[in-house]
Each structure stands twice: as C-alpha cells, then as structure tokens.
C-alpha cells in the first residue's frame, strides 16, 4: 500500500521536483519505487485547505511562505480540525522561532532550501520507519518509544555513533527500508544486493554490521548442494 502525499509549495519547479522524486526515485533504491502516491499539489493556503480536508494524506510536504499566508498558520488550523498527517517542512525560512513553532505543531522534519535530495532521502527513510513501527506494534514498549523519538540512536551524554569504514548512512538507510517494508522476510546478501543495486559482498558488509549492532538475526539456509547460505531477518523490537 502506497503512502499518500500532498505537496503544498508555491514554487512550481520545487513542487514538480518533489512529486517526480517521490514517484520515481533518482536512486537505485527499487524498494521505494511505488511507495508514495502524490494525491494533490497546492500553491496556496486556500487550495491546500480544501485538499487536506478532503484527502487526509499520510504525509504533508509543506512550505511556509505562501502567497496568501503562512504554512504554519495552515498547519495550526488543520491540526485543530484533526489532521493527523506527518508533516515535513521544506522551506527557505531560517528563523529559530519558526523552527520552535514547527516543533510545537508536531512537524516530524524540517528541510532547509535549497533542498538536498540526500537529506530528503533520510527524512523519507525515517518517516517509513515510524509508519512501520506504529503499524506493527501491539503495545507501547520502551524500545518502540526509543525508535520513534530517536532515543535508540544516542543518549544525551553520548557522541553520535561513527559508522565503520565502508558503511555509509544513506546506503544503510536503504537496506533498513527493505526490512521495515517486509519485516517478516529474510534476505541473503545476494538478494539484498539485487534489491538495492550493489554487489553481494557489499551487501554482506552492511548486513553483518546490522547483525553486529543487534538489528538483525541470522539463519543458515541449507540447500541440496553447496555450503549453507546466511539469511538475515529484521528485529523490530527488543521486548525484554
């Protein structure tokens, strides 16, 4: 099932870029292909208000500076009306007060123009992880909360985790998105490599790293001929 998206942006070129990128990712990430459905675009608050009332999307990409008002005022209005969409702000606004208001209104990410597609990829990967986390959970656990709020990544007195040589964050997010989309599915290194567009040995490097940090478990698949092959499965929550 695709995530529905509404784009509220008065710059036509930016709106078209976002829509094109959601529908046809310009990466080798075949898993994200078809994951989003752009159900509407608006260049003003007036048009956006009608769209949001009628469609209630899973994700709203929202600019702040619009011809007939502020995107934050629009967001405040539709929140009062019960809009539960995840919201990403994509804006040239750089005032700290605007960021504070955005956080108070439950904005899940804030992307500063000029837009970098790599940063958009990271925001989408986090959105996908949150959506899967909420849909898969039967009850609230601390590990679930840590996943949603980022508490599993680093604590307040820790520095960010440094990835090992040969492992980059964007590729790691792509592989994670495969598992979050199909949490019960197991993948060999060869299968994962084919899905995300890399060699078997490179995919194994990432899978073994995720295994080492307790994101995956591994099984041995015994075929009729040849050596057993390692098959990796995602751990959604640690419910201990």
């Amino acid at each position: 099932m695709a995530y529905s998206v509404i784009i509220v942006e008065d710059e036509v070129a930016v709106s078209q870029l976002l829509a094109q990128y959601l529908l046809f990712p310009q990466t080798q990430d075949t898993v994200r292909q078809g994951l989003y459905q752009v159900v509407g675009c608006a260049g003003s608050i007036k048009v956006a208000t009608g769209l949001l009332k009628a469609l209630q999307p899973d994700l709203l990409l929202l600019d702040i500076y619009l011809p007939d008002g502020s995107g934050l005022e629009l967001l405040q209005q539709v929140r009062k009306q019960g809009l539960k969409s995840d919201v990403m702000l994509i804006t040239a606004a750089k005032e700290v007060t605007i960021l504070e208001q955005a956080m108070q209104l439950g904005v899940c990410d804030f992307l500063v123009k000029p837009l970098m597609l790599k940063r958009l990829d990271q925001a989408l990967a986090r959105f996908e992880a949150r959506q899967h986390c909420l849909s898969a959970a039967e009850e609230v656990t601390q590990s679930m909360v840590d996943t949603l709020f980022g508490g599993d990544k680093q604590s307040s007195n820790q520095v960010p985790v440094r990835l090992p040589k040969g492992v980059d964050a964007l590729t790691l997010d792509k592989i994670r998105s495969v598992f979050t989309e199909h949490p019960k599915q197991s993948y060999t290194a060869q299968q994962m490599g084919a899905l995300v567009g890399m060699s078997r040995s490179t995919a194994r490097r990432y899978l073994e790293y995720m295994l080492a940090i307790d994101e995956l478990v591994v099984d041995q698949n015994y075929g009729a001929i040849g050596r057993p092959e390692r098959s990796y499965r995602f751990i959604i929550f640690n419910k201990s």
Side-chain angles (χ1 to χ4, degrees):
M1 180 178 176
Y3 296 118
S4 58
V5 184
I6 285 179
I7 300 169
V8 180
E9 166 63 65
D10 66 321
E11 294 184 54
V12 176
V14 175
S15 182
Q16 290 177 343
L17 172 65
L18 290 169
Q20 182 76 9
Y21 195 76
L22 288 168
L23 296 172
F24 307 104
Q26 299 170 17
T27 69
Q28 294 179 325
D29 190 353
T30 57
V31 175
R32 188 165 285 159
Q33 188 83 35
L35 192 57
Y36 294 93
Q37 180 182 9
V38 179
V39 296
C41 295
S44 66
I45 289 177
K46 181 178 180 180
V47 175
T49 300
L51 282 176
L52 291 170
K53 183 176 180 180
L55 298 175
Q56 296 281 317
D58 298 310
L59 177 63
L60 170 62
L61 303 183
L62 178 63
D63 192 9
I64 291 180
Y65 299 131
L66 297 165
D68 53 348
S70 165
L72 286 179
E73 293 175 357
L74 168 66
L75 181 56
Q76 186 173 31
Q77 174 188 333
V78 294
R79 285 295 195 216
K80 289 180 179 179
Q81 295 171 354
L83 182 76
K84 297 180 180 180
S85 308
D86 271 22
V87 180
M88 294 182 193
L89 289 184
I90 300 178
T91 178
K94 294 182 173 64
E95 296 88 346
V96 175
T97 54
I98 288 180
L99 176 59
E100 290 174 340
Q101 293 174 45
M103 294 172 66
Q104 291 167 4
L105 290 169
V107 168
C108 68
D109 218 322
F110 193 107
L111 306 181
V112 178
K113 293 178 180 177
L115 180 63
M116 294 184 293
L117 293 180
K118 181 177 180 180
R119 180 62 179 82
L120 176 60
D121 266 336
Q122 293 170 348
L124 293 173
R126 285 196 287 268
F127 165 76
E128 293 154 17
R130 285 193 303 272
Q131 291 294 309
H132 176 75
C133 182
L134 290 169
S135 64
E138 297 179 357
E139 61 181 19
V140 174
T141 66
Q142 187 61 58
S143 57
M144 170 189 175
V145 173
D146 288 344
T147 298
L148 291 171
F149 287 91
D152 59 333
K153 299 294 178 62
Q154 65 184 71
S155 64
S156 59
N157 59 354
Q158 288 178 325
V159 297
V161 175
R162 176 177 292 180
L163 295 175
K165 184 177 180 180
V167 174
D168 73 84
L170 183 56
T171 304
L172 189 60
D173 281 342
K174 291 180 181 180
I175 291 177
R176 283 187 178 126
S177 72
V178 176
F179 286 108
T180 55
E181 278 302 303
H182 306 282
K184 297 181 180 180
Q185 179 69 43
S186 297
Y187 298 94
T188 64
Q190 184 172 355
Q191 290 169 333
M192 184 59 70
L195 283 170
V196 299
M198 62 176 62
S199 69
R200 177 180 179 177
S201 60
T202 301
R204 184 184 292 112
R205 182 193 313 141
Y206 282 85
L207 293 169
E208 288 294 328
Y209 170 72
M210 295 174 71
L211 179 66
I213 61 174
D214 296 324
E215 288 190 23
L216 303 178
V217 293
V218 68
D219 300 317
Q220 297 282 11
N221 291 337
Y222 291 89
I225 300 175
R227 294 181 299 174
E229 190 167 16
R230 290 163 75 83
S231 182
Y232 302 82
R233 289 184 290 110
F234 194 41
I235 300 175
I236 303 175
F237 301 120
N238 179 8
K239 294 191 176 182
S240 59

